[in-house]
Amino acid sequence: MAKPTHRSYSRYAREAAGLFGLMIRNARIERGVTVAEVAERAWISRGLVQRIEKGEMGSSIGAAFEVAAIVGLRLFEAEPTTLTRHLSMERDKLTLLPRTARTGTTKVKDDF
């Protein structure tokens, strides 16, 4: 299947990405760090940093989180040890859930 050339996103998702990008940009400017310095520290291109700051939806979430960490933007209101505990709790919760909500498919008898 061919990759779509354009993907539509909900208004909420676009606004959230835009807010996240602006928060990153403001944190970078407050710290007096240039786009080139952030790009070098994150091992990404300056263009990607600029796209993240613009809130473009095609940017890698991993790169965006790394840029946020570099400029000192805290994504969650918790200490690192608390984040680790929450991550562990969510993983434990997933292990208790069934892998799929569907029951197994039955084989169709098509031999006549």
Side-chain angles (χ1 to χ4, degrees):
M1 183 179 197
K3 185 175 179 181
T5 56
H6 178 69
R7 180 174 177 167
S8 61
Y9 295 96
S10 68
R11 179 178 173 191
Y12 176 82
R14 288 190 316 269
E15 288 179 352
L19 174 61
F20 186 48
L22 288 174
M23 290 170 64
I24 289 173
R25 184 166 194 257
N26 288 336
R28 178 183 59 77
I29 291 170
E30 285 175 2
R31 293 190 182 269
V33 182
T34 67
V35 171
E37 291 170 334
V38 171
E40 184 178 334
R41 288 185 60 193
W43 289 83
I44 59 176
S45 69
R46 288 187 336 228
L48 181 54
V49 174
Q50 291 168 337
R51 288 191 303 275
I52 290 169
E53 288 184 353
K54 288 179 184 175
E56 289 188 13
M57 298 298 286
S59 302
S60 162
I61 192 167
F65 278 16
E66 184 64 23
V67 169
I70 288 170
V71 298
L73 180 62
R74 294 187 63 177
L75 301 175
F76 302 98
E77 295 299 323
E79 297 298 319
T81 55
T82 308
L83 287 176
T84 303
R85 186 170 35 89
H86 283 293
L87 183 61
S88 177
M89 286 172 43
E90 290 301 317
R91 284 184 178 143
D92 291 345
K93 213 185 293 184
L94 281 176
T95 59
L96 298 174
L97 295 173
R99 289 186 186 248
T100 180
R102 268 185 224 154
T103 58
T105 59
T106 58
K107 188 172 181 173
V108 177
K109 292 185 178 185
D110 59 356
D111 50 330
F112 299 100

